Amino acid sequence: MKLKFNLFVLFLALSCTVFSQNTYVFLGSYNRDKAAESIVVYQLDTLNGKLTKITAAKNLINPSFLTVSPNGKYVYACTESKTPNAGSVSSFEFNPQNKTLTFLNKQSSGGENPVYVSVPKSGKWLVNGNYTEGSVSVHPLLENGKIDSIAQNFQYQDGSVHKERQTRSHIHSTIFSPQFDYVFLPDLGADKIRCYQFDETLKQPLVEAPIPFTKTDPESGPRHLTFHPNQKFGYCIEEMSGSVSVYQYENGSLKKIQRINTHPDSITEGFESSDIHIAPDGKFLYATNRGKENNIAIFSIDANGLLTSIGYQSTLGKHPRIFAIDETGKFLIASNVLTGNVIVFKRNPKTGLLKKTGKEVKLENVSCVQIKKI
């Protein structure tokens, strides 16, 4: 009888742990008004896609990109993006019980116009990419969530073919490999995907890799990179060419096996492809197009990692810079900068297609969305 009672208590405890978790949506913006809300947190109703506002942060400039720590306690942001002679990374503590988002500290980003921050599974380091100056910086993260001063900074100078947009390096993202043993840096300005080994036991964790970069097609403008859940394939969205390049991945090596357009053949110029993500089940890939298209290109993924285009979904706004998929794969949320609206789509797991659900929310110049179950 005592054993049955103990098992019942254990079941209740586990049930409370499971059901007490909530899914939160974090929005960043290019909002230059310090008095306005610049980072806003919503709770996502995972039954109907409804967003309920939880809290917000003010008194900061242009938190253009966000990432949430693996444990969900901290939010890290690129701040002072697109601000001349400035650029910083900032940390915040998120407390869902008290519904607060509290500023902790900020550090120089090590270059002008930071556009991407990433944190490994351990939560001990922050890697940020600076677009305008073409550099990457590495910061230790303290146990209290604060960002320490720069441990490493790498500057790049080389450009590529385009006479206006590729006069020099432009690092557009900092992506960890599936095992967190490499960091990849898509460089729009140099048409390269740079690579470093990552050893977080070192005081300077970025180490020269055997293959320091993968060359992409001329004038492709590699922007963001994502890996398949099976860890065998990588997919890079190319902003300037409006294409996705597919790579076979193994131990820091990217071997291209396919290149496919994110737009119909009828569109031949003016590409502004931006973000790319794969559904958790690994069956579908999504990529956003800005400019004239303002849509999400949808692809199926076969057993060999290859893509087949299956359709397009309007983002119901203009300039969808960043989107995110929740960890269940049920919802995709897109942020439209120029129209300042955020749209929740319900994802069909069988077809991969998207359908708007719930009511859209507004945030002026919304530039980033991240989703985290906490």
Side-chain angles (χ1 to χ4, degrees), residues 182 195-197 207-213 252:
Y182 291 89
C195 179
Y196 288 89
Q197 287 183 297
V207 180
E208 184 177 350
I211 303 174
F213 64 85

Side-chain angles (χ1 to χ4, degrees), residues 99-114:
K99 297 184 177 181
T100 56
L101 185 65
T102 305
F103 174 78
L104 295 177
N105 80 322
K106 74 174 183 177
Q107 296 280 1
S108 168
S109 64
E112 193 171 318
N113 196 13

